[in-house]
Amino acid sequence: MAASFELGILVTCALLLAGSCRGAPDTELQVGYYQDTCPKAEAIVRAAVSDAVAEDAGIGAGLIRLLFHDCFVEGCDASVLLDPTKKNPSPEKLGAPNVHSLRGFEAIDEAKFALEDACPGVVSCADVVAFAARDASYLLSGYRVDFDMPAGRLDGRRSNAADTVPSLPPPSANLAQLVENFAAKGLDAEDMVVLSGAHSVGHARCSNFASARLGDGADIDPSFSRRLRRRCNDTGGEDPTVDQDTVTPAELDSQYYRNVMKGRVLLASDAALMETTEAARMVRESASVGGRWEKKFGEAMVKMAGIGVKQAGRHSEIRINCRVVN
């Protein structure tokens, strides 16, 4: 990858989020943050992600989504990784938007185990999640989404399933709801449209879109609707899954936006991107070739990965095991 990891290259709060850029004590999120304390940190994470994606490309999509679901709830603090315990039986991963849908936990575990072997107690789980999303984007895009990911995050100690529904936009969201939800996290409408391109990989369960998208009056391509009906009606007692991008399902690319323009997307929140002239313009620009969307996606991922970064204190730490607090 093209990441230079030069020590001292700071990512300013203007790029991330004003007031949310702080990681470990007296430091800012920084590219090459572990160069002195754990020089091979990013290479270790990249190796774990490469192995996982080589075995199952869907894990890559899951790792990108994992960053989004982590940062939008409690900030980018790896709270989404915590397992249920007697003291906390309902962590974020059991929240309605997450349970039975998030993937990539094992890849994070593998990376963290290797990091603890190389540099015990140095690299936070929150940074592992951010690095993994960056590396998955790089791999699934055919190396076209290539960006540096600043680090220096700390891990949170709070994780509550009840926080997920109010914090994460539902698949039925309209454009106004999406813009409002992202604005609450310091992200603008263009960030929202650009980050929606992550839906060019991964899949969705029929239960997440069938009622909103396959009923009368839905703005969806008729032939695509018939195809989805056949798939979702053939349940066999299960909740079938459908590729979110049926053209290039394993590639992180701008095909998603061409699907949006043609009405060939699964979620109501995807179709909502055409609700206004301005949003539709952003969709058309993202659909163009030439690397424009890929560049903006990297920038938006960095911005998102700066949401609500924890400062040092009793509510933060560097976990030894990403699934449990120290």
Side-chain angles (χ1 to χ4, degrees):
M1 297 175 66
S4 61
F5 309 132
E6 294 180 16
L7 185 62
I9 302 175
L10 300 182
V11 176
T12 66
C13 287
L15 175 59
L16 297 174
L17 294 173
S20 299
C21 297
R22 304 203 58 87
D26 301 319
T27 65
E28 291 180 330
L29 293 183
Q30 179 179 328
V31 173
Y33 181 81
Y34 294 107
Q35 180 135 343
D36 288 343
T37 56
C38 190
K40 295 183 179 179
E42 296 193 44
I44 289 171
V45 176
R46 190 175 306 119
V49 172
S50 296
D51 289 345
V53 172
E55 185 172 332
D56 181 355
I59 298 299
L63 290 169
I64 297 170
R65 188 166 181 250
L66 200 59
L67 179 65
F68 171 59
H69 281 237
D70 182 38
C71 293
F72 266 55
V73 185
E74 282 289 308
C76 306
D77 65 350
S79 52
V80 74
L81 303 180
L82 290 171
D83 280 344
T85 62
K86 287 184 178 180
K87 286 187 177 181
N88 184 23
S90 298
E92 289 173 29
K93 64 170 53 173
L94 297 185
N98 296 338
V99 67
H100 306 312
S101 68
L102 290 184
R103 305 180 69 190
F105 296 112
E106 292 76 14
I108 299 295
D109 289 340
E110 288 298 319
K112 180 60 171 173
F113 294 157
L115 287 165
E116 286 303 304
D117 184 56
C119 316
V122 172
V123 182
S124 70
C125 298
D127 280 341
V128 176
V129 172
F131 290 150
R134 184 267 313 271
D135 296 336
S137 300
Y138 178 70
L139 293 169
L140 293 183
S141 68
Y143 319 131
R144 290 184 296 273
V145 175
D146 187 5
F147 59 95
D148 294 324
M149 177 59 78
R153 300 166 190 80
L154 293 172
D155 301 325
R157 296 178 57 85
R158 182 184 187 279
S159 183
N160 192 327
D163 296 335
T164 58
V165 172
S167 301
L168 293 162
S172 60
N174 61 32
L175 183 64
Q177 292 169 327
L178 289 170
V179 171
E180 181 181 9
N181 184 277
F182 276 67
K185 309 300 179 184
L187 303 173
D188 61 28
E190 185 175 27
D191 295 324
M192 181 272 293
V193 172
V194 168
L195 289 169
S196 294
H199 288 176
S200 68
V201 289
H203 55 254
R205 295 185 180 276
C206 287
S207 59
N208 286 329
F209 65 84
S211 61
R213 296 288 285 152
L214 301 183
D216 294 336
D219 184 14
I220 186 171
D221 176 77
S223 63
F224 188 61
S225 178
R226 289 192 293 272
R227 177 179 175 180
L228 294 179
R229 285 175 185 273
R230 288 194 296 270
R231 173 62 177 160
C232 292
N233 289 337
D234 184 21
T235 64
E238 301 291 336
D239 185 4
T241 61
V242 181
D243 289 327
Q244 296 206 90
D245 176 358
T246 58
V247 181
T248 56
E251 297 178 25
L252 182 66
D253 58 20
S254 59
Q255 177 63 43
Y256 163 80
Y257 297 99
R258 292 184 280 280
N259 296 341
V260 171
M261 291 189 292
K262 293 177 180 178
R264 298 179 65 85
V265 285
L266 301 184
L267 307 181
S269 57
D270 293 327
L273 301 186
M274 298 298 288
E275 285 182 2
T276 69
T277 301
E278 179 62 14
R281 178 190 64 78
M282 296 178 190
V283 169
R284 288 193 298 273
E285 289 180 351
S286 296
S288 64
V289 296
R292 182 184 186 280
W293 171 78
E294 287 82 357
K295 181 177 183 294
K296 285 188 171 292
F297 183 77
E299 293 169 351
M301 286 284 280
V302 171
K303 190 173 179 182
M304 180 175 69
I307 296 173
V309 173
K310 296 288 187 291
Q311 296 192 40
R314 63 189 183 93
H315 299 299
S316 62
E317 62 186 9
I318 294 177
R319 283 182 224 141
I320 304 304
N321 180 337
C322 291
R323 294 176 179 262
V324 294
V325 297
N326 291 342

